[in-house]
Every structure is written in structure tokens, then in C-alpha cells.
Amino acid sequence: MEGKNEQRAGLLYGIGAYVMWGLVPLFWPLLKPSGAIEILAHRMVWSLGVVTIALLAVRRWAWIGELVRDRRKLALISVAAATITVNWGLYIWAVNNGQVVEASLGYFINPLVTIAMGVLLLGERLRPVQWVAVATGLTAVLVLAIGYGRPPWISLVLAFSFATYGLIKKKVNMGGLESLAAETAVLFVPALGFLLWLAATGKSTFTAGGTGHGFLLAATGIVTAIPLICFGAAAVRVPLSTLGLLQYLAPIFQFGLGVVYFKESMPPERWAGFALVWLALSLLTWDALRTARRNRALAVKLLATAAAAPATATPTPEGAAILPGDAAILPSDAAPPGGTTPAPDAATTTGTEAPNPAQQKIT
């Protein structure tokens, strides 16, 4: 029961995070005339202030000593901080330079990038439908490159940077608030140094733009921290495949804002490219739902078989035994729904374990 409540809470956290990210293009234009790098620096500085207050409220500090002593985890946190910095900065620049639609494309193709990283980095094997979806996504990128007259580099950088960020957070396996605090702490000193340099050279807009503008820049901490905290909280409660499905919410809102609110141009070839991306995502979603149903049915069958003979242990090839209540080993093609990245130590060549709510906490 506790596992179900955790997953339900994780689902709500995930929906909240992606809806907020979907609506954030409405906020960044309010910060003009500040440039993207100055806005980014304020995001870093004020986000640390927000998460510090949150940590004071919940009184969670023991993790800091553990993180400092774990060099591998500290290195991963630093890489995650650098990766999300690229994602944040480029996204702000794209929105404030009339590229909301292309930015939304980055998050549409992010699931395809996640699948590609699973194959290339973790040795996952894709099902036929997933191969078709990936091929369709590559075709869409080519069509869009022709339509734009260049590769959609904004979309590609956003997709790869956020997919990398999600993968690293899964390996770090820290709580949402703790991981965000660590990442912003890594970014704080260079960001503050840049803001002080802007002030010293008379290029800062923090005070020059008036009290209202300064307040909006300070609010970047809240705008940044809240959805990332929700994302981190969701990532440790639900499978990455579930986050992969939820993440469609953000680009849907962003695309709608780009076309309807910001009135960006959508020539026929751009519509064709987006249609191919949506087709690829539809294939992934259909395949994920079908595989999830098959996995559940197989897990129920195996548990029923085990319950019928509770005193008998079934030996595994390694000589171990599967007893009632243990995770059942599924066939090798039973990849997680959506084909998204499993935990680094998951079996990707000989089989994957049936979903176990107690073991599905990933970051």
C-alpha cells in the first residue's frame, strides 16, 4: 500500500513539474532587457537561496557529509549541474529570441534521445516498434532541417542535454531537494562571480531596471526550484518510463504557446516534421502500453504459479531460487515500457526484472 501511495504521489509531482515547465515560456520575456546569460546566473544564485530555505524547513543536512565523502557521486552532481546549465541557458535564449516552437521540439524528441542513449550507453535492445519510432524520429529531424535550412540545433541540444541530465540524476539516486541543492551549490560561485562582474562594469540590469525588474529576476529562483524539486521527487518514486510519458505535457504546452500566443511561423514542411515526431511518439506510447499490459499479465501468471506450490523453490541457472514474493525474472525482450533507460545495473542482455514498487525508486 505504501508503494502505491508513493507512486501516486510521484505521478502528481511529475504532472506538476511538466505543466510548470510547459508554461514557463510566458515568464522569460518578462525579464527583458536582461540577456540570457544574466538571467541564467540569477537562476543559479536565487535557486540556491530557495532550496536552502526548504532544507532549513525540513531539517535535512546529513546528506551533505555523505556527498562530500563520495567522490563519484560528487563528480556526477557536478556533471549534472553543468548539463542543466546548458539546458537552462539555451532554453532562455530560444524563448526570448522567438524560437519557442523549436525549443518545444527538443522536448518532443527527448524520449527518442533517451532510447538512443539506452542502446548506445547501456546496451539495451529495442523492440521492432521502437526501432520504427527511432527511424521516424530521425526522418523528422531531416525534414525539419530542410524546412529550417539548417539542422534544428536548438532542439537537438535541448534534447540531449536534458536526457543526459535525467540519466545522471538516476545514477546519483538522491532526493529531489537534496540533488537540486547540490547542483545549485556547484553553480553558485561562478554565477555570483559573473553577476558581481556585471555590476562592477555597469552592465547589470538587476538594479538598473527598477524594483519590479529586480523582483522578477529574484523570482527566477522560485520558477526554477519548484518544478525541479517536483521532478526530482517524481524521479525517485516512479519508473523512468512513466516520466518519459509525462514529459510530453511540457512540449505540448510550449508548442501551443509558440503557435497561438507567440504566433511563430509554421510553414508546411515544419508541420510535416512535427507530424513525423508525433507519429514516432504515438508509436512509443502504444508500444509502452502494450508491453506494460503484457508484463503485468506475465507477472500475475508467475506469481500464481509460485503460490500454487509455496514449498517448492525453483532453481535459477545460477543455482539461486525464486521463492514466492521474489521478483520474477522475465524474458529478455521484456524491456521497461517505452524502452527508456533502466537502472545502470539492470540486466539488459539476459533479462529484466518484473516491476517491483519497492525497487522502482530512481533518480
Side-chain angles (χ1 to χ4, degrees), residues 50-103:
V50 172
V51 296
T52 299
I53 294 173
L55 287 171
L56 286 171
V58 298
R59 298 180 180 179
R60 293 210 299 261
W61 303 103
W63 60 272
I64 297 178
E66 298 174 2
L67 177 62
V68 172
R69 290 190 295 269
D70 191 336
R71 293 185 179 180
R72 176 182 176 275
K73 186 174 288 189
L74 191 59
L76 287 173
I77 283 289
S78 300
V79 175
T83 304
I84 200 61
T85 298
V86 172
N87 189 274
W88 287 353
L90 181 58
Y91 187 79
I92 294 169
W93 181 89
V95 170
N96 285 353
N97 283 273
Q99 302 293 333
V100 177
V101 170
E102 187 175 350

Side-chain angles (χ1 to χ4, degrees), residues 232-362:
V236 298
R237 288 173 170 84
V238 298
L240 191 62
S241 56
T242 301
L243 288 180
L245 295 175
L246 289 179
Q247 70 184 346
Y248 298 161
L249 291 174
I252 288 173
F253 278 101
Q254 294 165 7
F255 178 81
L257 288 174
V259 174
V260 178
Y261 182 80
F262 293 103
K263 301 186 185 304
E264 294 185 17
S265 175
M266 284 293 292
E269 59 272 16
R270 199 168 298 176
W271 278 111
F274 270 87
L276 287 172
V277 170
W278 294 332
L279 173 60
L281 296 179
S282 298
L283 290 171
L284 286 181
T285 303
W286 172 77
D287 183 66
L289 295 174
R290 182 188 64 169
T291 303
R293 285 194 297 267
R294 184 184 65 182
N295 287 354
R296 283 196 297 267
L298 181 56
V300 169
K301 182 178 179 181
L302 289 172
L303 289 173
T305 301
T312 303
T314 303
T316 65
E318 292 77 20
I322 302 177
L323 298 174
D326 288 346
I329 302 300
L330 300 180
S332 60
D333 62 341
T340 51
T341 307
D345 57 347
T348 56
T349 57
T350 59
T352 47
E353 293 185 357
N356 184 340
Q359 297 175 347
Q360 289 293 324
K361 295 184 177 181
I362 51 180

Side-chain angles (χ1 to χ4, degrees), residues 4-22:
K4 289 184 178 180
N5 289 336
E6 283 286 289
Q7 290 200 359
R8 188 179 298 111
L11 186 64
L12 293 176
Y13 279 125
I15 292 173
Y18 285 113
V19 169
M20 285 186 280
W21 275 323

Side-chain angles (χ1 to χ4, degrees), residues 216-232:
L216 286 174
L217 285 173
T220 56
I222 298 175
V223 171
T224 298
I226 291 179
L228 274 172
I229 290 172
C230 290
F231 174 78

